[in-house]
Amino acid sequence: MATTDRQATTLALAHALSAAERGLAVIPLSRTKLPALRSPHRLDPVPLPCHGECGRFGHGVYDASTDPARIRALFAAAPWATGYGIACGLPPHHLIGIDLDTKTGTDSSAALRELALRHLFTIPDTVVVLTPSGGRHLWLTGPPDVVVPNSAGRLAPGIDIRGAGGYLVGPGSRTEHGVYGTAPGTAGLPPAPCPPALLRLLLPPPRTPAPPPASSGGHGQGLVQFVLAAHEGQRNTRLFWAACRAYENGIGPDLVAPLIDAARSTGLTEREARATIASAARLTGQRR
Ligand SMILES: [Zn+2]
């Protein structure tokens, strides 16, 4: 029914605007949970890679915004939208979604608890969104300088990760399977920081060549080489990995200066390098 659809759109817009007030960038979604606006480039003979530089809507999560005027414009362009997506990985929250599925018949919540026991982290109190199919989304925040990739079933069957470039269906969205809503008592919570031990599980395994053990080459020379060999696009990730391993092996403080030198020769600024190494120190528990 058209009227019902219009109400669903109005409701979705209201929920999207209140999410944006919390600093969460949103896009309109259709009933199928896909971005409601199709790509303006879909009919181009040779589609150019565009993330919205053309100025038009329809670039999926790249359309996401916290600006109420832009959100209203997005929904006005997609009057069939009945939900909204929340972009992950963007400042200020750098949202990470832990998507616990039940459709596969696996108990993904139990799998997450088992991971927590094995890797010694506690799942914090945070926003939990209940999906119409009985699944749950845990909202966590990440550090600003770490890119968490999307993954499906990599941690355990039924556990998907929504990271940079991904989105979460926002609470209050209506899809063809039903309505998404927050779990009782969690709507007002701020998204909790991702536990460091869990964050390390979410980061991609290093690309080839694998980082050598910290001990090889003496005094972490292998780790310095690993950073030196980084291509643009993996510089920060490699530096982060190397610094984590250095701290885990007790040679972190000694390796700060060599790692900064190596990072600078790959094109990072000293400030960027220091921030990444400081993150690694924090995440490996070298707080004091
Ligand atoms: Zn474009």
mmCIF file of all heavy atoms in Angstrom, residues 40-41 50-56 59, ligand 1:
data_model
loop_
_atom_site.group_PDB
_atom_site.id
_atom_site.type_symbol
_atom_site.label_atom_id
_atom_site.label_comp_id
_atom_site.label_asym_id
_atom_site.label_seq_id
_atom_site.Cartn_x
_atom_site.Cartn_y
_atom_site.Cartn_z
ATOM 1 N N PRO A 40 24.213 6.088 -10.744
ATOM 2 C CA PRO A 40 23.962 6.885 -11.955
ATOM 3 C C PRO A 40 24.836 6.416 -13.124
ATOM 4 O O PRO A 40 24.654 6.869 -14.246
ATOM 5 C CB PRO A 40 24.331 8.306 -11.519
ATOM 6 C CG PRO A 40 25.319 8.126 -10.420
ATOM 7 C CD PRO A 40 24.936 6.840 -9.719
ATOM 8 N N HIS A 41 25.775 5.528 -12.835
ATOM 9 C CA HIS A 41 26.709 5.070 -13.869
ATOM 10 C C HIS A 41 26.337 3.698 -14.412
ATOM 11 O O HIS A 41 27.075 3.124 -15.201
ATOM 12 C CB HIS A 41 28.130 5.016 -13.307
ATOM 13 C CG HIS A 41 28.547 6.299 -12.678
ATOM 14 N ND1 HIS A 41 28.754 7.449 -13.400
ATOM 15 C CD2 HIS A 41 28.787 6.631 -11.386
ATOM 16 C CE1 HIS A 41 29.101 8.428 -12.576
ATOM 17 N NE2 HIS A 41 29.124 7.958 -11.357
ATOM 18 N N CYS A 50 33.707 5.660 -9.646
ATOM 19 C CA CYS A 50 33.301 6.939 -9.079
ATOM 20 C C CYS A 50 32.749 6.690 -7.694
ATOM 21 O O CYS A 50 31.956 5.770 -7.496
ATOM 22 C CB CYS A 50 32.234 7.597 -9.957
ATOM 23 S SG CYS A 50 31.606 9.150 -9.278
ATOM 24 N N HIS A 51 33.200 7.459 -6.746
ATOM 25 C CA HIS A 51 32.693 7.355 -5.376
ATOM 26 C C HIS A 51 31.901 8.603 -5.006
ATOM 27 O O HIS A 51 31.909 9.038 -3.871
ATOM 28 C CB HIS A 51 33.854 7.134 -4.393
ATOM 29 C CG HIS A 51 34.497 5.791 -4.544
ATOM 30 N ND1 HIS A 51 35.745 5.497 -4.056
ATOM 31 C CD2 HIS A 51 34.061 4.658 -5.133
ATOM 32 C CE1 HIS A 51 36.052 4.234 -4.340
ATOM 33 N NE2 HIS A 51 35.043 3.714 -5.000
ATOM 34 N N GLY A 52 31.253 9.172 -6.014
ATOM 35 C CA GLY A 52 30.421 10.339 -5.763
ATOM 36 C C GLY A 52 31.040 11.628 -6.252
ATOM 37 O O GLY A 52 30.449 12.694 -6.101
ATOM 38 N N GLU A 53 32.233 11.521 -6.847
ATOM 39 C CA GLU A 53 32.896 12.732 -7.337
ATOM 40 C C GLU A 53 32.053 13.422 -8.403
ATOM 41 O O GLU A 53 32.201 14.635 -8.627
ATOM 42 C CB GLU A 53 34.282 12.393 -7.914
ATOM 43 C CG GLU A 53 35.284 11.872 -6.882
ATOM 44 C CD GLU A 53 35.151 10.368 -6.630
ATOM 45 O OE1 GLU A 53 34.221 9.746 -7.191
ATOM 46 O OE2 GLU A 53 35.973 9.833 -5.858
ATOM 47 N N CYS A 54 31.195 12.671 -9.087
ATOM 48 C CA CYS A 54 30.356 13.248 -10.138
ATOM 49 C C CYS A 54 29.278 14.168 -9.562
ATOM 50 O O CYS A 54 28.615 14.885 -10.303
ATOM 51 C CB CYS A 54 29.712 12.145 -10.963
ATOM 52 S SG CYS A 54 28.529 11.160 -10.033
ATOM 53 N N GLY A 55 29.085 14.119 -8.223
ATOM 54 C CA GLY A 55 28.129 15.013 -7.595
ATOM 55 C C GLY A 55 26.702 14.480 -7.551
ATOM 56 O O GLY A 55 25.819 15.134 -7.005
ATOM 57 N N ARG A 56 26.476 13.310 -8.136
ATOM 58 C CA ARG A 56 25.120 12.755 -8.115
ATOM 59 C C ARG A 56 24.988 11.745 -6.965
ATOM 60 O O ARG A 56 25.993 11.276 -6.432
ATOM 61 C CB ARG A 56 24.811 12.086 -9.454
ATOM 62 C CG ARG A 56 24.585 13.094 -10.570
ATOM 63 C CD ARG A 56 24.404 12.434 -11.921
ATOM 64 N NE ARG A 56 25.665 11.891 -12.439
ATOM 65 C CZ ARG A 56 25.759 11.184 -13.556
ATOM 66 N NH1 ARG A 56 24.678 10.924 -14.269
ATOM 67 N NH2 ARG A 56 26.931 10.737 -13.971
ATOM 68 N N HIS A 59 25.845 6.253 -4.996
ATOM 69 C CA HIS A 59 27.147 5.608 -4.853
ATOM 70 C C HIS A 59 27.211 4.790 -3.579
ATOM 71 O O HIS A 59 28.246 4.699 -2.914
ATOM 72 C CB HIS A 59 28.261 6.653 -4.897
ATOM 73 C CG HIS A 59 28.293 7.415 -6.178
ATOM 74 N ND1 HIS A 59 27.469 8.494 -6.402
ATOM 75 C CD2 HIS A 59 29.004 7.240 -7.309
ATOM 76 C CE1 HIS A 59 27.682 8.960 -7.625
ATOM 77 N NE2 HIS A 59 28.601 8.218 -8.201
HETATM 78 ZN ZN ZN B 1 29.533 9.181 -9.814
#
